[in-house]
Amino acid sequence: MPRRRVRLCMVATLGAAGLLLSGCANPSTGSADDDPTKPVTLKFWHGWSATSEVKAIDRSIARFEKLHPNIKVQSTGNVSDATINQALRAGGGKAPDVVTSFTTNNVGQYCSSGMWADLDPFMKKNGIDKKKVFPKTLLDYTRYEGKQCASPLLADAFGMYYNKDEFRAAGIKRPPHTMSEMKRDAAKLTKKNGDGTLKQVGFMPSFRLYQNSPDRMFAQYGPEYFNSAGKARLAKEPKTEQYYADMKGITDAQGGFSAMERLRGTFGDEMSSQNGFLTGKLAMHLDGEWRGLMLDEAKAKFDWGVAPLPVPDDQADTYGRGYLTGTVAGIAHSSKHQNAAWELLQFLTMDTKQVVNFANAIHNVPSTFAALKSPDLDADPSFRAFLKIAQNPYSQAIPPSNNGGQYVTTFQDFSYSVEAGKEHDIPAGLKKLDDQIDADNLQSEN
C-alpha cells in the first residue's frame, strides 16, 4: 500500500500512539559514547511497504554500508508508529536505533516525551548549520519547543491537478489563482446528467474526499492555529470563517453539498482505476506529487497538468504556496549506538546524492536545498511543479503539538459538521473547538 495511504489512515490511530507516548518522560536511556568507526550492527525500522519503495530504501542502505564498511544495517519495513513507540518505550536490545515516521503530526510527542534523541548536539559536533541544509517549513515540522528531535527525509507537497481537455472545452485559459477564480471556473466545468444529477464538477471541496483533509486547503490561507502561549486561536483567526465561506461558495456554485455527496458516492477508491479525477468526474483535484506517476501508469485518457492551489483573493501575492508534510527520521533515545546511528541518519537525510536518488525512486520531493537544486532530479514538468511549491516561502505545514495530531482530528470533525450545514453558529462553534483543543493539550501535559 503506497505510503501516502498509510499516512492518511494514521490520523485515526493517533490516539493509540498518544497513549503509548504519554507518561514517557523518562524513556530508556541510551548512549552517545560509542565509537562510530568500530564494528556495529544498527537496527533501522521504517514504514515503507510497497515493493518499489522497499527496493529503493534497500539500495540506500547498501550504498551506506559501502561507505561505512564497519556498520551493518538490519532494515525492517512496514512498521507502524505504534509498534515503534512500544519498542522505544520498552528499550532493550531489540529496540531500533534509527526510525522513520510518515506522521509529522507526532513530532511534538517524539520531542516532548524524550523518546527520540535531540539531534542538535550531533549537528553542532559535525559543524552542520541546519538552516542552510533544510527549508524552514521542513525544520518547523521536525522540531518542538526548540528541540530538533527529527530530520526531514523527503517531503510531500500538495497542489492542484487539472484536466486540460476540460479547461479548453470550457474556454478557460489557465488554472485559477484565487478562490473567486476557482468558484467561477468550477461552475463553468460542472456538467449534469439528464435527470439533473451531477456528472462532473470543477472542484469538490469535500473534506471527506481522498486527500482533502481540511488542514490541507486551509494552508492556502496561512492560518495561525495557536498563539504564542500555545493556546488554540481558530475562533480569533479571521481566516477560519473566510475559509469555510469560500468552500461553501464553491460547493454551492456547482449544485450544493447534497448533490456533491451523491456524486462522491460514485467515486472508486483513491488508489484504484475508478479514482474520481482519473475517470473524469473531477476537473480539478487536490493531491500530492505522487499522483502524477500514478496517472502515467494508469495511462490517463486526457491531457492533465499541475498548478498550485488557489489562494484567498486578498492574498493573491502568495499564489504558488501549498501544504507540506513528509517523512521524518530520528535516533532512538534508547539506542546504545547513537554516534553510529547519527552516521546513518546523516547519510539518509543530508547526503545530496542519496536524497536525490531516493526522491527520484519513490517520486517524492527532496528535503534539502542542495537536492532541490540538483540537475539529477527527475525532469518531469509535473514533478517540478511540486518542487516549486515546496520551496515557496509561503508554503505551510501544520504546527506540532504535545499530543500529536489530536487537534487536527478535532478540527476535521468540526469541519465535517460545517460543510454538512449542521453547525449553525460557526463563531460559537469555533470557540468551543478552541476550548476542546486546549483541554486535550492540557490533558496530555498532565
Side-chain angles (χ1 to χ4, degrees):
M1 184 166 59
R3 75 182 182 87
R4 285 43 2 43
R5 195 57 182 278
V6 173
R7 182 182 296 125
L8 190 63
C9 299
M10 195 68 73
V11 173
T13 64
L14 287 176
L19 289 174
L20 291 169
L21 279 169
S22 62
C24 295
N26 296 299
S28 178
T29 302
S31 171
D33 296 328
D34 61 302
D35 184 346
T37 65
K38 299 294 185 182
V40 65
T41 297
L42 297 176
K43 298 180 183 65
F44 172 53
W45 289 8
H46 63 83
W48 286 285
S49 58
T51 301
S52 60
E53 295 174 335
V54 172
K55 286 182 178 179
I57 197 67
D58 286 346
R59 288 195 296 270
S60 296
I61 296 301
R63 288 195 293 269
F64 172 78
E65 290 181 334
K66 187 174 182 180
L67 293 172
H68 300 267
N70 64 297
I71 302 178
K72 301 302 178 185
V73 180
Q74 292 180 352
S75 181
T76 303
N78 198 23
V79 185
S80 69
D81 279 34
T83 299
I84 289 174
N85 294 334
Q86 284 178 319
L88 296 188
R89 185 177 185 182
K94 294 183 179 180
D97 298 285
V98 178
V99 293
T100 70
S101 172
F102 300 148
T103 316
T104 59
N105 301 2
N106 277 349
V107 169
Q109 288 180 310
Y110 302 146
C111 293
S112 62
S113 69
M115 298 294 281
W116 288 27
D118 187 354
L119 301 180
D120 277 328
F122 295 96
M123 293 185 184
K124 183 177 181 180
K125 183 169 61 176
N126 284 260
I128 295 172
D129 185 344
K130 61 187 178 183
K131 293 181 180 179
K132 293 182 179 179
V133 177
F134 302 108
K136 180 182 180 301
T137 306
L138 276 61
L139 284 178
D140 287 344
Y141 69 60
T142 52
R143 60 188 174 193
Y144 180 68
E145 293 185 344
K147 186 175 182 180
Q148 188 76 47
C149 73
S151 182
L153 175 55
L154 303 191
D156 286 329
F158 287 78
M160 188 184 76
Y161 287 82
Y162 65 102
N163 187 319
K164 290 184 176 181
D165 291 345
E166 293 295 335
F167 267 58
R168 281 191 284 266
I172 303 172
K173 299 186 180 302
R174 64 163 174 78
H177 290 189
T178 64
M179 291 301 169
S180 62
E181 290 181 356
M182 171 171 266
K183 178 180 177 180
R184 178 200 65 201
D185 292 347
K188 287 183 179 180
L189 293 161
T190 298
K191 297 179 181 179
K192 293 184 178 181
N193 295 305
D195 60 1
T197 58
L198 293 175
K199 179 181 181 180
Q200 171 187 289
V201 294
F203 180 78
M204 185 175 286
S206 172
F207 299 135
R208 296 179 185 271
L209 172 66
Y210 301 154
Q211 296 289 330
N212 282 24
S213 176
D215 51 301
R216 291 174 182 168
M217 181 64 90
F218 198 25
Q220 300 306 106
Y221 291 71
E224 292 183 19
Y225 287 83
F226 302 99
N227 62 22
S228 59
K231 299 294 184 181
R233 63 175 307 276
L234 288 170
K236 295 181 179 179
E237 172 60 87
K239 297 169 184 175
T240 313
E241 289 190 58
Q242 179 189 4
Y243 169 52
Y244 288 135
D246 286 344
M247 296 303 101
K248 185 177 187 304
I250 293 170
T251 298
D252 290 347
Q254 300 171 93
F257 176 74
S258 295
M260 284 273 204
E261 283 296 278
R262 283 193 290 273
L263 179 62
R264 187 172 70 87
T266 69
F267 295 175
D269 183 80
E270 176 186 2
M271 301 299 173
S272 75
S273 61
Q274 296 304 304
N275 174 285
F277 181 70
L278 184 59
T279 55
K281 295 179 180 180
L282 294 171
M284 295 181 281
H285 181 49
L286 180 161
D287 219 326
E289 75 282 344
W290 62 88
R291 179 59 57 187
L293 186 61
M294 292 182 176
L295 289 170
D296 285 340
E297 291 175 347
K299 295 181 172 56
K301 297 179 180 179
F302 53 88
D303 188 14
W304 57 271
V306 175
L309 285 158
V311 297
D313 288 43
D314 60 355
Q315 297 187 58
D317 60 330
T318 67
Y319 178 71
R321 75 193 313 172
Y323 174 89
L324 302 182
T325 185
T327 303
V328 299
I331 297 173
H333 188 276
S334 59
S335 173
K336 303 291 185 181
H337 314 290
Q338 291 183 13
N339 286 319
W342 166 251
E343 294 296 328
L344 175 59
L345 187 74
Q346 184 178 3
F347 171 79
L348 290 174
T349 65
M350 301 181 206
D351 181 275
T352 301
K353 183 177 180 180
Q354 146 60 20
V355 174
V356 170
N357 288 344
F358 195 35
N360 286 341
I362 68 173
H363 222 247
N364 277 187
V365 175
S367 43
T368 68
F369 285 121
L372 283 165
K373 297 175 182 177
S374 173
D376 296 326
L377 272 178
D378 190 335
D380 175 65
S382 65
F383 184 58
R384 291 280 176 172
F386 286 102
L387 300 186
K388 292 180 180 178
I389 293 171
Q391 297 178 79
N392 187 287
Y394 293 105
S395 290
Q396 187 175 46
I398 59 170
S401 169
N402 66 352
N403 68 356
Q406 180 58 48
Y407 78 92
V408 179
T409 303
T410 306
F411 175 57
Q412 185 178 61
D413 290 341
F414 178 78
S415 299
Y416 290 159
S417 296
V418 172
E419 72 174 356
K422 297 178 180 179
E423 194 66 48
H424 302 294
D425 189 342
I426 293 179
L430 286 171
K431 290 179 181 178
K432 292 180 181 179
L433 174 64
D434 283 345
D435 290 341
Q436 183 62 54
I437 291 172
D438 289 340
D440 291 341
N441 285 342
L442 182 61
Q443 184 177 11
S444 296
E445 293 174 358
N446 297 330

